[in-house]
Amino acid sequence: MSADNAAPKGNNRLIWQIVAGLILGSIIGQIAHSAQSGFMNSVIGITGIFGSLFVGALKGIAPFLVFILVTAAITKQNGQTKTNMRPILFLYLLGTFGAALVAVIASLAFPSTLTLVVNPDIEVQPPQGIAEVLKTLLMNLVANPFASLINANYIGILMWAILLGIALRRASPATHQLFDDLSHAVSAIVTWIIRLAPIGIFGLVSVTAATTGFGQMITEYGQLLLVLVGCMALVAFVMNPLIVYWKTGKNPYPLVLLCLRESGIPAFFTRSSAANIPVNMALAKRLNLHEETYSVSIPLGATVNMAGAAITITVLALAAAHTQHIQVDFFTALLLSLVATISACGASGVAGGSLLLIPLACNLFNIPNDIAMQVVAVGYIIGVIQDSCETALNSSTDVLFTAAADIAHSHELETPKSE
């Protein structure tokens, strides 16, 4: 999801710069692919450096980013918020987990593969069944925290960040403020790196187009986008209405369509959850929801209600697995859904936050960080569409589930209890 502090004009300018880099890289790459000359190979070698630098910067900041953001998010939570928001939190987590399951099913039904630059010195060892996956997961959980940061062991990073966040919940306000400041600082660093995305994507696309040709590149990215956007549409128009109907017992579609129109469309263009919070607040007020509820649940939803992010993490992680010819069984896919749900809750407010958490999911399949970060780079290439759809789904669902829980609570108060 886009950085919350980025202005919509800045976001739009970056989008057009990325599109320009995408087009220019495709043209140069296709010329190199067709010409096969020494000069063009040298040009691609130079442009490829830009892509390598971009991926390298992402790879360097991602472990520290995950650790700080998850720790800060948990540190800020308190028991009172959990108690007051329990029904809405349940819907948020249910929707996020359900979205991850939808993404798993779609990715297994329509597997996507990508053309990646694989270092011959890197050996990918696919896990042999659920037992090895669980063993790898548990061993990564208890790995040394400093080694986890150095080696990009995202499972271990997530574990130690959660434990540290829980331990710091009773710390002094100054400590809470320190981690809040650190989270903003590291998010700012990521924002600076993302500003280089047009140049990085130019280099990555030029190399890919020179290697595979423009046609194959469009086919790969197009299929990946179809799976991503298809999953988000299925969640928005099928799964979410079912959840709302289960909660309220009423026809969900008038409310679903209203939230998509009034909240989803602005979020699609701003690509910022925080920029859309005032829009959601105003919509909640027009729906006559309880202010003491939505004043907490709407900002909270920008943190933990991440169905779109769960879809992105799951689809791209499974694309990496399919690219490496790794067979994914049902139980491993179920475990991936849980990991994607937890990971997605830590993706809020960060430029490309969901993309930077893909390596965490890839850890389940023993996919090296070098390969996982290339998949992250692919995510930035298609992010012009993916990120807009993801933000629209996430933000519109914040007010949708808040309204559903509020309606259900009001119905319970109005219904007399049987003697």
Side-chain angles (χ1 to χ4, degrees):
M1 185 173 289
S2 299
D4 288 341
N5 296 327
K9 286 185 179 179
N11 284 337
N12 292 334
R13 187 162 51 246
L14 181 63
I15 291 172
W16 287 112
Q17 290 171 352
I18 289 175
V19 170
L22 181 63
I23 295 173
L24 186 59
S26 300
I27 293 173
I28 292 179
Q30 183 60 39
I31 293 173
H33 181 74
S34 302
Q36 294 294 326
S37 66
F39 173 74
M40 289 307 301
N41 289 339
S42 298
V43 170
I44 294 301
I46 295 173
T47 60
I49 295 175
F50 299 136
S52 298
L53 287 174
F54 179 61
V55 173
L58 292 175
K59 187 167 61 175
I61 192 62
F64 188 62
L65 170 75
V66 173
F67 180 76
I68 292 297
L69 286 179
V70 174
T71 301
I74 295 176
T75 300
K76 289 189 293 186
Q77 302 302 320
N78 55 64
Q80 182 181 3
T81 300
K82 282 190 174 181
T83 301
N84 294 339
M85 304 305 301
R86 187 175 299 170
I88 299 175
L89 271 175
F90 175 76
L91 291 180
Y92 284 169
L93 295 176
L94 176 64
T96 303
F97 178 71
L101 279 179
V102 168
V104 165
I105 295 171
S107 295
L108 295 181
F110 306 99
S112 302
T113 58
L114 301 168
T115 300
L116 304 175
V117 180
V118 180
N119 188 332
D121 296 330
I122 297 177
E123 183 179 355
V124 180
Q125 297 180 344
Q128 302 298 317
I130 186 62
E132 185 176 342
V133 171
L134 286 174
K135 180 181 178 181
T136 300
L137 176 65
L138 293 175
M139 295 306 297
N140 284 340
L141 283 175
V142 297
N144 181 285
F146 295 102
S148 296
L149 283 169
I150 294 172
N151 299 322
N153 169 19
Y154 288 89
I155 301 293
I157 291 169
L158 188 65
M159 174 67 175
W160 292 115
I162 291 173
L163 291 178
L164 182 60
I166 293 173
L168 288 174
R169 287 170 75 172
R170 295 186 179 181
S172 66
T175 302
H176 290 180
Q177 186 61 46
L178 172 64
F179 274 89
D180 189 53
D181 291 342
L182 281 173
S183 69
H184 284 94
V186 74
S187 296
I189 294 173
V190 173
T191 301
W192 299 340
I193 295 173
I194 299 307
R195 291 188 189 279
L196 301 175
I199 299 174
I201 288 173
F202 162 72
L204 292 167
V205 170
S206 65
V207 172
T208 302
T211 304
T212 67
F214 184 73
Q216 182 177 339
M217 184 184 71
I218 290 297
T219 300
E220 289 182 353
Y221 294 169
Q223 179 179 343
L224 191 62
L225 265 176
L226 282 175
V227 174
L228 281 167
V229 176
C231 288
M232 294 177 190
L234 192 63
V235 169
F237 293 105
V238 178
M239 192 192 78
N240 283 349
L242 288 175
I243 293 176
V244 173
Y245 177 76
W246 165 75
K247 189 66 178 177
T248 65
K250 300 179 179 180
N251 178 9
Y253 281 99
L255 180 60
V256 168
L257 296 177
L258 175 66
C259 292
L260 287 172
R261 183 177 67 250
E262 299 293 331
S263 174
I265 292 176
F268 181 90
F269 289 103
T270 63
R271 302 171 77 217
S272 171
S273 57
N276 218 47
I277 286 177
V279 175
N280 283 348
M281 291 283 199
L283 178 57
K285 185 176 183 178
R286 292 203 303 273
L287 291 172
N288 294 319
L289 305 183
H290 292 89
E291 185 176 358
E292 64 273 15
T293 298
Y294 71 73
S295 63
V296 177
S297 67
I298 296 299
L300 185 63
T303 302
V304 299
N305 186 34
M306 291 288 166
I311 290 172
T312 298
I313 293 169
T314 302
V315 169
L316 287 172
L318 286 175
H322 291 140
T323 299
Q324 300 302 316
H325 308 292
I326 297 174
Q327 298 296 322
V328 181
D329 58 43
F330 173 77
F331 292 104
T332 304
L334 185 63
L335 186 60
L336 173 62
S337 300
L338 290 171
V339 171
T341 300
I342 297 172
S343 303
C345 293
S348 62
V350 185
S354 58
L355 299 177
L356 291 174
L357 290 167
I358 290 169
L360 194 155
C362 288
N363 278 179
L364 289 175
F365 307 113
N366 295 336
I367 296 175
N369 193 45
D370 286 346
I371 295 176
M373 292 310 297
Q374 290 186 58
V375 178
V376 172
V378 171
Y380 280 107
I381 292 173
I382 64 174
V384 174
I385 298 175
Q386 168 268 326
D387 194 32
S388 295
C389 294
E390 178 183 316
T391 309
L393 176 61
N394 290 342
S395 191
S396 63
T397 308
D398 293 346
V399 67
L400 174 66
F401 284 164
T402 296
D406 192 278
I407 293 170
H409 181 65
S410 299
H411 181 69
E412 290 174 359
L413 294 178
E414 294 171 359
T415 304
K417 295 182 180 179
S418 58
E419 298 293 337

